Amino acid sequence: MQDQKYILALDQGTTSSRALLVNASGEIIGMAQKEFKQIFPQTGWVEHDPLEILDSQLMVLEKVVRQAGIAPEQIAGLGITNQRETTVIWNKHTGKPIYNALVWQDTRTTDICEALIEKGLEAYVKKTTGLVIDAYFSGTKILWLLDHIPGAREQAEAGELLFGTIDSWLLWHLTDRQVHATDMTNASRTLLYDINQLCWDEYLLETLNIPAAILPQVHPSVHPFGHFKLQGHTIPITGIAGDQQAALFGQACFKKGMAKNTYGTGCFMLMNTGKKPQFSTNGLLTTIAYGVDGKVTYALEGSVFVAGAAIQWLRDGLELIQSAEETHALAASLPEDNPVYVVPAFAGLGAPYWDMYARGAIFGLTRDTGKAHLAKATLESLAYQTKDILMAMSEDSGIKPKKLRVDGGACANDYLMQFQAHILNIVVERPKVVESTAMGAAYMAGIGCGLWQFSDIKDNQPLDRSFLPGYDKERRKKLYKKWKNAIKRTKKWEKD
Ligand SMILES: Nc1ncnc2c1ncn2[C@@H]1O[C@H](COP(=O)(O)OP(=O)(O)O)[C@@H](O)[C@H]1O
Ligand SMILES: O=P(O)(O)OC[C@H](O)CO
């Protein structure tokens, strides 16, 4: 079967690096995954070692090809998808990062953001970049690195340093240090990219004091980015997208109004809004969904910073559970409504609240509270945060969805999915293949290398399970009201 062609998709997520092989019929035929270290040097700081990311990604890439027993020349194209906003600056001569990657969850630049807000930049940032001023995005992370790493600013101005989100960092190494580029979806998360004109914004670069020389070239998501050599064979890199946009693409949300929700480290709902950017009045972001076939498509996005990460906190921080899966049985062991609420605002609150000063809290504890209540409340916090976003999205778009398409690691949890359906009062649909992110990157790469046409990607994914709503209005209202109350009490905690 040497004539069979495959696409290799690299999915560099917040907690692990994955590589998937997809055959010409669009089926996943192999997967390799490696977790890597989360570094928390101080309160609010979250870092990754870029070299560990690179090594883990290359390791799983080689492993998946080896395990599948295919020849490198059978790989028609390679796609990259990645955790977004996470910021790396490296020296272009040595190839070494000047510091660890500042991860999207890192809130050390809150003060820089505060100063930008005080300067009155919010409206400009929103209409130009589609974003809000928040430590989440790359812009202020770049500034922090240039101002805190000795010699960095001088080297950047002398043209010796390069900035990139994780896709650029991987691309540069995969192409043997030849290509310094990114795609529009990743650029649209930097706080520096004009999503209307499709270029870096000079005024923002000047205001943030960031030299243009360090920025990557920006291309559409489907594009001949460069080549990767595997065992002497050259593989074209033909697709790149941020992971949430890739998941939207992987779920084939190509029509205006179609949306998906991904439950990974964070939780991200994106809705396709068509060929023109739509600006939110309810705390959502406007972002580029994809650039394919010479056209740009936009999306509204609700970004929740802590979702699956809260389950990891139960496991690694509190050591209440051994594995994420256990939370299902714990939650299901308590049939009555949960009086306990966990607000996992560990990195402040993202959409729709945008409060960098909020902090996590547990409410409703009584003498009989046990770990099952905490596990259940933590799972439910993912569903409540999703409800906040869905309500904002319905307000903005005027569309009241009848069902929600889900994917990502934590959507494997049946208790969570069932509670999600109850609290939203809509059907939650879980596809058989929940690797939508990697599939999105594979589709883009497959289109880019000519294996597929855009029109070949069909919205006909088989479902694993549909979760039907079953709570009456009164019950939903009562539960959600308490959640809103809990949110209110966590806001501005660090500031007051
Ligand atoms: N059965 C489960 N129940 C709840 N959460 C889960 C379950 N399985 C995985 N998770 C959570 O999902 C996340 C991993 O999902 P993944 O999509 O791989 O995330 P990422 O791309 O952010 O690394 C982890 O935060 C983990 O805690
Ligand atoms: O790595 P994930 O899947 O949690 O996604 C992270 C997001 O891209 C951050 O914006």
Side-chain angles (χ1 to χ4, degrees):
M1 292 294 279
Q2 283 283 317
D3 54 342
Q4 263 275 17
K5 290 288 177 205
Y6 299 91
I7 298 293
L8 183 55
L10 308 184
D11 176 4
Q12 206 305 301
T14 310
T15 56
S16 72
S17 298
R18 280 198 279 259
L20 284 89
L21 269 175
V22 176
N23 67 17
S25 314
E27 294 153 349
I28 297 172
I29 60 123
M31 209 255 274
Q33 175 167 13
K34 184 155 175 42
E35 282 202 19
F36 56 85
K37 205 163 54 226
Q38 306 294 313
I39 306 167
F40 307 111
Q42 290 186 28
T43 305
W45 291 26
V46 188
E47 299 177 1
H48 291 160
D49 176 354
L51 293 169
E52 192 187 352
I53 285 186
L54 178 64
D55 288 348
S56 60
Q57 195 62 75
L58 291 173
M59 199 194 105
V60 292
L61 181 162
E62 282 162 19
K63 189 170 170 189
V64 78
V65 175
R66 197 173 54 243
Q67 280 176 348
I70 64 162
E73 51 269 33
Q74 290 179 269
I75 304 172
L78 186 152
I80 303 173
T81 182
N82 56 291
Q83 52 167 319
R84 307 163 306 165
E85 300 95 16
T86 297
T87 300
V88 191
I89 297 184
W90 66 96
N91 184 299
K92 69 177 175 196
H93 305 297
T94 65
K96 296 229 171 79
I98 61 164
Y99 187 76
N100 275 339
L102 304 194
V103 177
W104 55 275
Q105 295 161 314
D106 191 298
T107 55
R108 79 186 66 185
T109 60
T110 299
D111 289 351
I112 304 177
C113 293
E114 197 66 53
L116 295 176
I117 292 167
E118 269 166 32
K119 264 193 183 168
L121 268 181
E122 272 173 304
Y124 184 85
V125 164
K126 184 167 177 179
K127 75 169 191 240
T128 309
T129 68
L131 307 177
V132 299
I133 298 177
D134 192 276
Y136 174 33
F137 306 103
S138 318
T140 58
K141 297 185 198 293
I142 300 175
L143 188 58
W144 190 93
L145 287 167
L146 293 181
D147 288 343
H148 288 81
I149 307 307
R153 184 161 287 285
E154 295 71 33
Q155 288 175 46
E157 270 154 17
E160 287 168 15
L161 301 185
L162 301 177
F163 149 75
T165 37
I166 295 294
D167 56 311
S168 299
W169 165 248
L170 293 176
L171 180 69
W172 193 74
H173 280 285
L174 289 171
T175 57
D176 204 14
R177 304 181 177 190
Q178 295 300 307
V179 180
H180 182 220
T182 188
D183 92 299
M184 291 169 177
T185 67
N186 275 294
S188 75
R189 316 296 296 185
T190 57
L191 210 75
L192 307 171
Y193 190 69
D194 183 336
I195 60 166
N196 309 289
Q197 308 297 322
L198 306 178
C199 58
W200 297 113
D201 185 74
E202 277 177 30
Y203 175 69
L204 286 171
L205 288 176
E206 208 173 288
T207 310
L208 269 87
N209 199 11
I210 293 176
I214 69 168
L215 300 173
Q217 274 202 330
V218 186
H219 300 296
S221 325
V222 173
H223 179 81
F225 284 93
H227 293 90
F228 168 60
K229 264 217 159 96
L230 182 64
Q231 298 159 21
H233 183 78
T234 300
I235 301 169
I237 303 171
T238 49
I240 294 185
D243 55 9
Q244 301 310 323
Q245 285 90 337
L248 189 75
F249 205 85
Q251 291 252 27
C253 294
F254 301 138
K255 288 197 199 117
K256 204 169 159 175
M258 289 175 87
K260 66 85 203 179
N261 196 31
T262 302
Y263 301 78
T265 304
C267 203
F268 300 88
M269 192 185 295
L270 270 77
M271 179 188 275
N272 184 327
T273 58
K275 304 290 175 229
K276 285 204 187 100
Q278 185 180 330
F279 293 91
S280 172
T281 49
N282 292 285
L284 302 179
L285 305 172
T286 305
T287 202
I288 296 182
Y290 48 87
V292 180
D293 284 354
K295 292 186 202 106
V296 174
T297 298
Y298 294 86
L300 273 174
E301 171 175 328
S303 329
V304 167
F305 295 156
V306 176
I311 311 296
Q312 283 173 316
W313 165 74
L314 291 177
R315 188 192 64 187
D316 306 335
L318 300 187
E319 298 182 12
L320 280 186
I321 51 170
Q322 306 274 325
S323 73
E325 291 75 29
E326 276 175 46
T327 54
H328 166 78
L330 283 168
S333 72
L334 300 170
E336 69 281 5
D337 287 346
N338 197 358
V340 178
Y341 284 75
V342 169
V343 181
F346 304 153
L349 286 168
Y353 306 108
W354 298 109
D355 184 343
M356 295 182 280
Y357 299 100
R359 289 295 175 266
I362 305 174
F363 297 94
L365 299 178
T366 49
R367 184 62 187 83
D368 64 339
T369 299
K371 78 173 179 181
H373 292 95
L374 284 180
K376 183 163 156 144
T378 307
L379 280 176
E380 288 171 349
S381 74
L382 276 60
Y384 286 125
Q385 293 183 98
T386 295
K387 183 169 169 100
D388 293 340
I389 301 294
L390 195 76
M391 290 180 71
M393 215 159 253
S394 297
E395 283 287 313
D396 274 333
S397 65
I399 298 170
K400 289 222 173 351
K402 291 194 178 55
K403 53 189 186 185
L404 182 68
R405 293 164 187 242
V406 299
D407 55 54
C411 88
N413 193 299
D414 285 353
Y415 178 81
L416 169 60
M417 292 299 104
Q418 184 55 70
F419 183 74
Q420 186 70 86
H422 287 322
I423 206 69
L424 290 178
N425 200 33
I426 62 174
V427 178
V428 170
E429 286 187 347
R430 183 169 65 197
K432 274 213 167 84
V433 177
V434 290
E435 294 288 349
S436 316
T437 302
M439 282 312 297
Y443 289 152
M444 288 178 183
I447 296 169
C449 72
L451 188 66
W452 300 311
Q453 305 278 316
F454 193 3
S455 53
D456 291 337
I457 317 295
K458 297 276 188 288
D459 174 24
N460 57 0
Q461 294 191 56
L463 287 186
D464 167 50
R465 188 165 161 191
S466 290
F467 296 85
L468 307 180
Y471 285 3
D472 62 41
K473 192 170 172 191
E474 220 30 61
R475 188 168 177 194
R476 276 198 318 272
K477 230 170 122 183
K478 197 169 147 209
L479 287 168
Y480 189 56
K481 193 171 163 201
K482 280 218 151 151
W483 165 257
K484 292 299 260 186
N485 202 349
I487 284 279
K488 200 155 76 193
R489 287 160 200 246
T490 64
K491 281 191 182 170
K492 301 268 175 273
W493 177 264
E494 202 53 31
K495 193 159 194 174
D496 290 342

